Structures are given as C-alpha cells and as structure tokens.
Amino acid sequence: MPTSKKRSSAKKRTGVSRSVGTSPTAISALTLAFGSWYRTHAEGLDDHPTPDAMLASFSRLNTITAGLPGKRTLAHPVPDTLDALLDHFDDADDAELDAPVWEGASVVDVLDHLLDFLIETERWRGTTAELEESSEIIHELTGDEGGAASGFFTLLVESLETVEAAPVEAQLASLDRWSVIAAIPGFLAWIGDGKTLTATGALRTADIPVVEGLLGLPPQRQVPGASMWDSQPLSAWWYALAESKIIALDGPSLRAGSGFGPWVDGDSAEALELRVAFVRHYLTWWLTKELDADTELGSEVTIRVIGQLCVALSPELLPGASVDALNLVFDDARPDHDDPDDEGLFGDDDEELSAEVHRLSNEYASERTVAVLGELSTSGALTETPVATGGIRYVVEPDRAHAFSRALQLAVGGFVDDEPRDDEGETA
C-alpha cells in the first residue's frame, strides 16, 4: 500500500491553493537534485528507504501526478495537488496500490522527504499559507500530531544556521552602535568605584532617569513605590549585564564585573563572543518573561516570538510575509483545544466552544507576540520595514545578524539544555 494511514475528510483550506505545471526538463532536474539530497540525508540511517527505492517511487509518483486533471507537479506540491494525488490513491485499484515499487518507499515516505528537500534547499516557491497546509496534510498522513506547527517552527529555527557572517570588525561596529550595548561603557564610567542599590538589588529611584538617558529610553514618570523592575527594557538590560558578568552585585553595592575587562581590552574574536553572550541573555529575558507569565499560553507566545525573530534574521525567508501573516500561520498550525466529535460536558455546544477558545487563544498569543516585538524594536534590536502587500515585518541590521542568530540559537537551546533536573538547583 502506498499510504500508511487513511486520510480524514478534507478540511477547509485557509491558504490559497492552486494548480502549477512544470516542464519535463524541469522535472528531470528536480529528480537529480532530490536524489542527490536524499543520498546525503539517508546516509547511515537504517530506518530509511534506500536511495534507489526512494528515486524509483519518486519517479513513479511524478508520472502519476503529471497525469492528474489540471496542471499538477511535485515540483510545487501545493495543497490542491496533494489532495488530488491522495484522492487518486483513495480511488485506485488493488493493482496500483500493491505495486512492488511502493514496498521500497511508500507515497508517504516520498512526500514527507520531498517537502523537507524543498524547504532545506530553498526550492519552495509557494506561499507561506500553502507551505503550512501542505505540511499539515503530510504530517496527518504520518500520524505526527501537531506536526504542522512543529515542522514550521523547526524550519524557522534551522534557518538560523544559514545566516552569513560579516567580517568580525564590521560585526563589532554594528553591535556597538546598538543603544543597548553602546550604553555600557558610559554606564560603567558612571558607576565608577561603585553605586548603592536598593534592598532588592535595583537602581535607586533617583538613579533610574540617568540610566534611562544612557539607554535612550523615554523618561518614565516615577510613581510612589515604583522601582526599576517596573520597566521591562531596564529589567532585560540589567539581567543581561548581570548574567554576562559586566556588572557585579555585592549586597547593596554595584560595581564593574569581571566580564567588562575582556569586553574592552580583549581581542576582536573574544570581544565578539562576549557580545554574543550578552545578546543571548538579553533575548532570553524577553522569551522567558513570556514563559514565566501567569498564563497557559506563555510557551505559545515564546514560540511565535522566536519564529518572528528567525524571519527578521533571514530577509530571504518567506519574503513578503508580514508580522500578522506569520501570526496567522501559527494560528492555523495550533491544534484544536477540544475534539469536536466528543460531546463532552457541553453536549452539542462543545464544537462551538472549542472554536471560540481556539480563536481567543490565538488572539491573545498574537497580541502578546506583537507587544514583545514592539519592545525589541524600541530597543533598536529590530527595525520595522513595510511589506508590499500591507503591514510590516522586522529585520535585523545585516552586519549584526549573524551574532544575533548565534545568540538566538543559544537561547533556544537553553530552554532544553538548562532545564534543572530534580536533583539540581536552578541554573543561571
């Protein structure tokens, strides 16, 4: 059998599906490229079909797809094409379903790897919505619940590895122009031999405007009982300074930390590594703030912010997609909260309730994501740019993009690697 699982009934598509044709010459080139990619991909993996079996099934599937009504091609496996292809197998006779070719590599094997190939080699030419829906179709076939969301997120995070590095000196110059980093030397000079902090280890009320001025932040009206911790930009900056050991806290005293010497006097490579570490901690504060929020959707917001940052770091990734469009992709990728086929406590009203919970959850997650991105834009980490189709998206200054991508990779990895075990305390 070519498929491993009978499909559920077709869903209403949220993206723009279409038929796309491709010439035989282009299909031949695609087959060669796919074969080369798969040989490298499957090397040493015993649980994968052999390259010869994969190519045999791929060629057979190309022929079947080309023969379907309308212009269909596996070069562009948009949702309509996948639906038409799978409908063909739903209606096929036993001779076609039991053809020996599928024993080496099933239709599901081919389609799953084909989509990975098109994404990894940047050959996907459809829209963001089409990519999401094609992923959803394939992951439903593989039985990977929530696969569309995780697959899309994985695609974005893996794109961080492709961000190119500018020369080290250009990277340092760009990073040191960022107000969050540019303020550090002046701040350390202002500290001098030391400053007195409050009992909570924060700046005294009278000192807050001085530091806000160094960071270029608008002055905040100080209300009775307010503290530095009420300012998110200040809190994020302070956290990054402390974690990078640029400052040292000794009870109520503040002084320069051990990390500041190498920051100023180290060689270029060391100076860059220290700045990457600082950016990691700065981004981590904004991401963990959402994880620590008193809401079940903290992780959903964090995932969206990470995804949006990945797109900001790779302008060629999903070109033309606005912040709102990317949020909609994550809306569609999020699985339903309840099974509409299960009556549950509310009887026939459960399906309507589930849809409303789903809508409100997406709305909240999108609003919080936009708020975090706005704060990062205000800090100068991101720059707002208009999108031709409407809306805005964010970008990171090219010369500092590689440092930011490395910092974000470390931050994302830290959510897994730095989880304390039951027998360990919290890690910094």
Side-chain angles (χ1 to χ4, degrees), residues 2 26 179 183 211 230 252 257 261 284 350 352 355 368 399 424:
S179 61
V211 180
D230 296 317
T284 295
D350 258 16
E352 183 176 344
R368 288 302 314 142
D399 283 349
E424 292 181 340

Side-chain angles (χ1 to χ4, degrees), residues 48-97:
H48 276 49
T50 66
D52 288 344
M54 179 62 74
L55 274 182
S57 294
F58 180 71
S59 297
R60 176 70 169 268
L61 204 56
N62 265 316
T63 301
I64 293 172
T65 305
L68 295 174
K71 295 180 178 180
R72 310 287 184 188
T73 171
L74 289 187
H76 302 291
V78 293
D80 273 358
T81 293
L82 292 178
D83 280 334
L85 179 62
L86 295 171
D87 285 344
H88 165 82
F89 281 107
D90 284 342
D91 298 332
D93 58 27
D94 290 343
E96 184 167 5
L97 295 177

Side-chain angles (χ1 to χ4, degrees), residues 245-296:
K245 296 182 171 48
I246 294 172
I247 60 173
L249 308 179
D250 184 11
S253 298
L254 168 68
R255 55 180 174 77
S258 59
F260 185 64
W263 180 285
V264 176
D265 300 325
D267 60 31
S268 295
E270 184 179 20
L272 181 58
E273 290 302 314
L274 291 170
R275 282 156 178 77
V276 169
F278 175 88
V279 177
R280 172 200 177 176
H281 294 305
Y282 185 79
L283 294 178
T284 295
W285 187 93
W286 289 103
L287 297 174
T288 54
K289 179 180 73 71
E290 295 303 321
L291 287 173
D292 294 339
D294 187 19
T295 170
E296 295 179 356

